Amino acid sequence: METTTRPASPQPTGAPRWVAQVHRPSSASWEVCAQSPHRAPVEYALGEMAHTVRARGGDFVVSLWGPKDGAWQRFDVSTANAATPEPPSAGPDEPSTLTERMSGRRQQVLLAGLSKAGLYDLAPDDHAAVQALVEQLDETTVRKVAQWLTAGRA
């Protein structure tokens, strides 16, 4: 069996947060597939994606970046860990599982809309604005805003 060497994923831009990147073999590039201020929703999203990709017979190659001592750190992601998603659990300093998951989903939808609109390298005040929208809007409204951003780019 031949082993393919993939280039290491690039460090994400902006302030350290939890960011997962997936390798796209067709373009030999890395793409952000999930991000959140908390690790649990990103790992949960990775598990869901791994399950879907593998069910379709694909190869799921990811890289996980997160904060450590105020700087970016790449973390080891075992594909075995991503194979069986478990809902994130809340620790003493984290919001409840459902609240965190829904907040993470709204944030991912907005960030995806911004990316499709051509806004990739967000400043800290941009992330603060996204977080403010996530906290104030329901999921349906967030999806509509992301749809507008995407349509504006076309």
Side-chain angles (χ1 to χ4, degrees), residues 33-124:
C33 60
Q35 57 184 322
S36 173
H38 303 287
R39 184 176 183 160
V42 173
E43 288 182 333
Y44 182 77
L46 285 176
E48 291 287 327
M49 287 182 248
H51 180 73
T52 301
V53 170
R54 289 193 183 113
R56 295 177 181 162
D59 184 24
F60 190 64
V61 179
V62 296
S63 179
L64 178 65
W65 289 84
K68 183 173 182 185
D69 300 325
W72 283 107
Q73 170 77 32
R74 187 180 334 208
F75 290 84
D76 181 36
V77 179
S78 165
T79 53
N81 290 344
T84 309
E86 293 182 18
S89 59
D93 297 331
E94 293 184 20
S96 74
T97 302
L98 180 59
T99 302
E100 182 177 330
R101 185 171 177 208
M102 296 308 291
S103 177
R105 281 177 54 167
R106 289 191 304 270
Q107 183 178 36
Q108 289 175 18
V109 167
L110 280 174
L111 291 172
L114 289 169
S115 291
K116 288 180 181 178
L119 302 169
Y120 306 103
D121 191 19
L122 301 179

Side-chain angles (χ1 to χ4, degrees), residues 10-25:
Q11 177 178 308
T13 59
R17 60 200 178 283
W18 292 99
V19 176
Q21 298 177 343
V22 64
H23 185 261
R24 300 287 182 203

Side-chain angles (χ1 to χ4, degrees), residues 116-137:
K116 288 180 181 178
L119 302 169
Y120 306 103
D121 191 19
L122 301 179
D125 58 334
D126 295 322
H127 286 285
V130 167
Q131 189 59 37
L133 286 171
V134 164
E135 291 170 3
Q136 296 298 317
L137 302 176

